[in-house]
Amino acid sequence: MMAKPAPPELLQGTLDMMILKTLSAAPNHGYGVVRRIRQVSDDVLQVEEGSLYPALHRLEKRGYLTSEWQRSESNRRAKYYRLTPKGRSQLRAETARWADLSAAIGKVMDAATRTMPVAPGGAM
Amino acid sequence: MSFPALLSHLLPSPDPRTPDQIERDVDNEFAFHLAAIEAELTDAGASPEQARRAAFERFGDPRKYRRQCRRIAMKERIMLQRINAVLMVIVLLAVIGVSVQMYLTQRYNSLALADITRQLSTMRQQPAPGTATPGEDEPAPTASEAYTSPVVYVSGSVQRPGVYGLPGSGSLTLTRLLAAAGDLTTSPARVQVMRSLDGEPTAVFRQTVSDLSEIAADDLKLRRDDLILVHEEPKVGPGAAMPSSPDEYEKWLADWGEKIRALPTNNWRAAFALGQQIAALDPEQGYRVLEAYWSDVPDADAKRQLIKAWYFKYCTQLDQDAHLLHVMNLGMTDPSVEVQGFPLNYLKALVLRDFSLDFAAYAPWYERNRDRPCAEVVVDELRRAVRELEDATGGEALRIVELIQNSSALRRDQSAALRSGLIEAGLLDILERLVSNADAELTAAALRTIGKLHADEAYMRRVVVPFFEPDHEATVRSAAIWSFAYAEAAWAGDLLLETLVDDFRRGGPEEGGDLCDAASALSELGHVKAIPTMIGIIDAQSADRTVYGVGYFGLEKLTGVEYNESHNGPWWRDWWEQNKDRFGPQVAALPIPEIEPPPALPESVDDP
């Protein structure tokens, strides 16, 4: 039996960006946010789901989100988070920064691949 | 940004929910999430038990995340609580610091008070240096008679109240007080003692320092409530000499302006003292200072005091031509009616014109005279008044006579030239005519003015003495007798004494009003030969009429013995025996005459 692969660790700060991005489509509760991230990432990005809540509360405190208790699709009371204009600006800024960062990482990785010595005896 | 906005920016408002509400919200949120996972897994075929366990595995430790959420929600509140705690500590430390400071101050004050009390006690036990040692037979004062602190003013300012090396026993007299005061003043010119008497306005005793030095022992005995004013020649401080260079002059002038601007409001003494300093400058300099900073004088009262100081300095020194009219003009053209009142009165005394009756007449009058020497203006105005009086009658004559009587030209310390000028202008002749008119008020005013003119003996005997006769109206007779109080007429001493004795023997009101005029005139003349006769009068009838009418108005000033209603005939006889040698052999040789008392009044008969 093959061991279950460990979920990749999220880079620091990316969780906030993903939450903002997820909520930019529509207001949602915490469980909905987690489910959306998993769906969009094909279950690659998995986090301890409780860790989402400190991030949500912190973003709300900073004014990027507002919250409101509503009835969910299962008719239970759930706390729905909504992106504020300030949060939308923040999302734009973080998206741009992420694009720069990933491009820079991509360049490093490309350069490393080109200069890697070939192992004696053929392919890796 | 406004201060409240800045404050709210720096201090974000805390979460309005209580900690319990926050935890409840978090728990509800977690419960929804866990239930959703469980439902998801149950739908996928897991048993409820498996689903619950798996839900917790996916969610992680709820307690940990609850703590984190709680900390985030409570962050501002925790920060404010910490700030609050720090402020409380600071306030507590400040309160403790102030308390300690107050305690130390109180302790220092107590020690200082004890020290002052001890020093005062020591001073009272030691005779003051330079003061006469009281006689051994003088009784020491009882505790209730111990000297308290007479307030001594020097040129308007309170000086060291109560801190003097006072004599430990005997009477506290003015000379002893001044000697004990030591360096209180370097050049006292005049001393006033103000005293309230029962039912009378404040009595004022004035003595020059040279007078005081001539009195050996029994000078004015002080009381606890006496107010002592020591007038000194104003000392002019640094900056008195006007510098010659333009820059230094500007600074010198600005310094005086600063002094004027710094005057406290409602403090006439401070303003008068500064006015004396300015008047003590060279007249040109002083006037420049007043003119330059007149609008900076803080209030109307201060302006009046500056005018007053200048007037009193120069109204008897007209020959100095010290801008007297120009300084008066500063007040007369001041917008404040309060200020104008003083120069109005001074001009009335100086040039005998009452501009309060016709203020519009002032400006053209000033324009005519502003560039003339002040002495020349005054002499012209005196002559004008005399000319007007020559043709005046009734009320107009009375107005002019009273103006002349109160004129600065007839002040005791005024130049004799002005008095002589008035006499040469014919004033005595006019007054001689006026005293024989039918109006008692005008006659009395004319008699008082004659006294101030220091007319010669022949004139006084011819014009004034006839009014000593008892058949004249009381006010006229009183003015005639009083006119000798102004005159330098030693020849009149015996005449006044005869009048005093005659008045006594004729009988009069109980309060001695009929005796006070002659007694006062004799004391003003310093006619010490009258002392034995005055004692004889009191001895002949020791009643209020004589003890007060002669003792207070005559003997007190002549002898320096403070008036006391218990000083009857026997008391004065004893005193005379012990003190008569002070007055020279001629006076000491005079016996106390036996004077016949006034006839007893007939018994009053009750109406049936």
Side-chain angles (χ1 to χ4, degrees), chain A residues 61, chain B residues 13-19 21-22 73-74 76-77:
Chain A
K61 186 67 78 177
Chain B
S13 56
D15 195 314
R17 296 171 297 172
T18 65
Q21 280 177 322
I22 291 169
M74 300 287 287
E76 288 80 10
R77 191 174 303 203

Side-chain angles (χ1 to χ4, degrees), chain A residues 29-31 34-35 38 47-54 56-58 61 69 72 74 76-79 81, chain B residues 15 17 25-26 28-33 35-37 40 57-60 64-65 68-69 72-73 76:
Chain A
H29 43 65
Y31 174 74
V34 171
R35 197 173 55 183
R38 287 176 60 185
V47 293
E48 223 174 35
E49 295 181 15
S51 68
L52 186 76
Y53 286 94
L56 281 168
H57 289 197
R58 189 170 54 247
K61 186 67 78 177
W69 287 94
S72 71
S74 62
R76 288 193 61 162
R77 286 182 75 245
K79 193 174 186 182
Y81 293 90
Chain B
D15 195 314
R17 296 171 297 172
D25 278 357
V26 171
N28 287 339
E29 207 172 2
F30 288 3
F32 170 80
H33 194 119
I37 298 174
E40 178 192 329
E57 279 179 12
R58 274 174 57 179
F59 192 85
K64 181 178 86 176
Y65 295 126
Q68 289 181 5
C69 289
I72 290 167
E76 288 80 10

